Amino acid sequence: KLWECAIDLLHEIWRRQRDGTMPVRDASVLEAGCGAGLPSLLALRLGCRVAVLHDFNAEVLQCLTIPALRLNGLEGGAQKS
Protein backbone atom coordinates (compact mmCIF):
# COMPACT_ATOMS: atom_id res chain seq x y z
CA LYS A 1 0.00 0.00 0.00
CA LEU A 2 1.26 3.46 -0.89
CA TRP A 3 1.29 6.03 1.89
CA GLU A 4 -1.67 8.35 1.27
CA CYS A 5 0.43 11.53 1.36
CA ALA A 6 3.27 10.23 -0.85
CA ILE A 7 1.96 11.93 -3.97
CA ASP A 8 1.49 15.22 -2.08
CA LEU A 9 5.06 14.96 -0.78
CA LEU A 10 6.39 14.31 -4.29
CA HIS A 11 4.57 17.40 -5.59
CA GLU A 12 5.97 19.48 -2.72
CA ILE A 13 9.55 18.29 -3.30
CA TRP A 14 9.20 19.02 -7.02
CA ARG A 15 7.70 22.47 -6.39
CA ARG A 16 10.38 23.46 -3.87
CA GLN A 17 13.13 22.15 -6.12
CA ARG A 18 11.76 24.15 -9.01
CA ASP A 19 11.43 27.42 -7.05
CA GLY A 20 14.78 26.96 -5.28
CA THR A 21 13.49 26.84 -1.70
CA MET A 22 14.71 23.27 -1.17
CA PRO A 23 17.57 22.38 -3.49
CA VAL A 24 18.18 18.66 -3.72
CA ARG A 25 21.28 18.52 -5.91
CA ASP A 26 24.26 17.16 -3.92
CA ALA A 27 22.12 16.83 -0.78
CA SER A 28 21.97 13.79 1.48
CA VAL A 29 18.48 12.40 1.99
CA LEU A 30 17.20 10.20 4.82
CA GLU A 31 13.82 8.55 4.34
CA ALA A 32 12.56 6.77 7.45
CA GLY A 33 9.67 4.38 6.96
CA CYS A 34 10.42 4.48 3.26
CA GLY A 35 8.09 1.80 1.91
CA ALA A 36 8.40 2.16 -1.86
CA GLY A 37 10.83 5.05 -1.36
CA LEU A 38 9.18 7.39 -3.86
CA PRO A 39 10.49 10.63 -2.29
CA SER A 40 14.02 9.21 -2.35
CA LEU A 41 13.59 8.06 -5.95
CA LEU A 42 12.62 11.61 -6.90
CA ALA A 43 15.51 13.10 -4.90
CA LEU A 44 17.96 10.77 -6.63
CA ARG A 45 16.54 11.74 -10.02
CA LEU A 46 16.96 15.40 -9.07
CA GLY A 47 20.63 14.86 -8.25
CA CYS A 48 20.94 14.19 -4.55
CA ARG A 49 24.33 12.74 -3.62
CA VAL A 50 23.00 9.85 -1.56
CA ALA A 51 19.67 8.64 -0.23
CA VAL A 52 19.48 6.45 2.88
CA LEU A 53 16.26 4.45 2.90
CA HIS A 54 15.11 2.83 6.14
CA ASP A 55 12.10 0.72 6.92
CA PHE A 56 11.44 -1.32 10.06
CA ASN A 57 10.11 -4.17 7.93
CA ALA A 58 12.98 -5.87 6.08
CA GLU A 59 10.49 -7.54 3.73
CA VAL A 60 9.36 -4.13 2.53
CA LEU A 61 12.95 -3.23 1.65
CA GLN A 62 13.50 -6.56 -0.10
CA CYS A 63 10.19 -6.83 -1.95
CA LEU A 64 9.30 -3.19 -2.65
CA THR A 65 12.08 -0.64 -2.07
CA ILE A 66 15.00 -2.41 -3.74
CA PRO A 67 12.98 -3.47 -6.81
CA ALA A 68 11.71 0.13 -7.20
CA LEU A 69 15.31 1.42 -7.14
CA ARG A 70 16.40 -1.23 -9.66
CA LEU A 71 13.50 -0.55 -12.02
CA ASN A 72 14.46 3.12 -12.05
CA GLY A 73 18.20 2.50 -12.42
CA LEU A 74 18.91 4.24 -9.10
CA GLU A 75 20.21 1.48 -6.84
CA GLY A 76 23.78 2.83 -6.92
CA GLY A 77 22.83 6.08 -5.18
CA ALA A 78 20.89 4.54 -2.33
CA GLN A 79 21.83 2.95 0.97
CA LYS A 80 19.34 0.58 2.52
CA SER A 81 19.10 0.16 6.28
Side-chain angles (χ1 to χ4, degrees), residues 2-28:
L2 184 62
W3 180 48
E4 294 83 9
C5 297
I7 301 301
D8 294 332
L9 181 56
L10 294 173
H11 285 273
E12 189 65 16
I13 292 169
W14 181 255
R15 184 186 67 77
R16 288 177 177 243
Q17 174 68 25
R18 194 179 60 227
D19 69 16
T21 59
M22 190 176 74
V24 176
R25 180 162 300 285
D26 297 324
S28 297

Side-chain angles (χ1 to χ4, degrees), residues 50-68:
V50 65
V52 177
L53 295 97
H54 173 79
D55 201 288
F56 179 76
N57 186 337
E59 287 183 31
V60 169
L61 292 170
Q62 194 65 35
C63 298
L64 185 61
T65 313
I66 293 170

